[in-house]
Amino acid sequence: MHVRGPDRLDRLRLPDGRHLAWAEWGPPDGTPVLLCPGAATSRRLGFGTDLVDALGVRLVSVDRPGLGASDPAPRRTLTDFAADIAELRQAVLGAAPLTVVGHSAGGPFALACAAAGVATRVAVVAGADEFASSVRGLPDDLRGLVDLAAADPAAAERAFAEFGSAEALWQLITRSSPEVDLAVYSSPGFAPVFRRAMAEGFAQGPAGYARDTLLTTSRWPFAVADVRTPVDLWYGELDTSPSHSPDHGSTLARRLPHARRHLVARAGGSLLWTHAEAILRSLVP
């Protein structure tokens, strides 16, 4: 398993004065595919980086506000993130249809782009469902966090910040991942890029991660049933992470009007990288 670093790095100044940072791979005039990375993971960790040139894909990965090199926006919402991507699309990506990929905790951000009409197609890979709404079978500790986020959002955000560090996140991932995923995360061509991306995710401290986690564990500001964009849901049958949809996206698939669910045999939560070609080919004409 090998993921190369970005071909290009840049930042966009947004109308409110903040900067939104992104990385990209592949031809600048390629078909744009935007990646919303997982929890506290910076723009530097792409996927399918050995495929984008041949497929003609311009892969763009963004730092959400307060992570990596993007300026913070302490009271931001999922809808605010979609508005940031709309600005990025207009200023940088052009008028071509935009596919947005959300990995793990990035899934709700990708769906927010669909709900806002920014994305014309979405892929959610090992993504979180709307835990506050309809997912059953959550572990007790995660259910407790969801309940706290509903009852006292400020207290929940403080609790997430107390946990937030690159090392704590690495330990959580390695404790909750099956062997098929640990083989990827610890491989020499992947681990250094992954660890660096997590370190950059916390470069400004834990506030960005805490805000992201509050948004993903709270009710989303859009109705999933109203998302009319085609959505591909990708899950590995061996994925055991408590932060991903515990039913491998089956509930989410039933709620989305135009969803296509892929349950991949012998794959785990790392299928964004182990099955990058299948994911990209399903999105690019």
Side-chain angles (χ1 to χ4, degrees), residues 16 18 64-66 70-77 80 84 157 204 211:
D16 64 1
R18 290 182 296 116
R64 290 188 288 275
S70 286
D71 293 335
R75 292 176 294 278
R76 61 188 166 90
T77 66
D80 292 335
D84 285 351
E157 194 165 1
Q204 301 182 56
R211 188 65 183 178

Side-chain angles (χ1 to χ4, degrees), residues 98-187:
L98 179 63
T99 292
V100 179
V101 178
H103 176 245
S104 186
F109 294 90
L111 289 172
C113 291
V118 179
T120 57
R121 190 179 188 94
V122 166
V124 173
V125 184
D129 198 344
E130 188 179 15
F131 299 138
S133 178
S134 64
V135 175
R136 299 178 181 179
L138 291 180
D140 290 342
D141 54 351
L142 180 55
R143 173 55 64 188
L145 293 174
V146 170
D147 291 343
L148 179 60
D152 191 340
E157 194 165 1
R158 289 193 297 270
F160 297 143
E162 289 174 3
F163 169 82
S165 74
E167 184 58 31
L169 185 59
W170 173 255
Q171 294 298 327
L172 175 65
I173 290 170
T174 54
R175 284 198 308 269
S176 61
S177 296
E179 290 298 324
V180 66
D181 289 333
L182 291 175
V184 174
Y185 300 148
S186 61
S187 63

Side-chain angles (χ1 to χ4, degrees), residues 251-265:
T251 301
L252 187 57
R254 289 195 296 270
R255 296 168 65 207
L256 285 162
H258 302 290
R260 181 173 60 169
R261 179 171 170 262
H262 312 260
L263 185 60
V264 183

Side-chain angles (χ1 to χ4, degrees), residues 4-100:
R4 77 170 193 260
D7 296 336
R8 296 169 295 278
L9 298 171
D10 209 339
R11 296 206 305 168
L12 172 69
R13 185 177 177 88
L14 297 167
D16 64 1
R18 290 182 296 116
H19 287 88
L20 184 72
W22 79 91
E24 59 178 286
W25 296 256
D29 60 348
T31 302
V33 174
L34 186 133
L35 172 64
C36 300
T41 305
S42 81
R43 57 184 171 163
R44 286 185 179 271
L45 183 61
F47 75 102
T49 58
D50 58 334
L51 303 168
V52 289
D53 290 306
L55 293 176
V57 168
R58 182 187 184 185
L59 177 68
V60 177
S61 180
V62 293
D63 282 339
R64 290 188 288 275
L67 277 66
S70 286
D71 293 335
R75 292 176 294 278
R76 61 188 166 90
T77 66
L78 290 174
T79 303
D80 292 335
F81 174 78
D84 285 351
I85 299 306
E87 293 290 343
L88 179 68
R89 181 181 183 184
Q90 180 177 358
V92 177
L93 301 179
L98 179 63
T99 292
V100 179

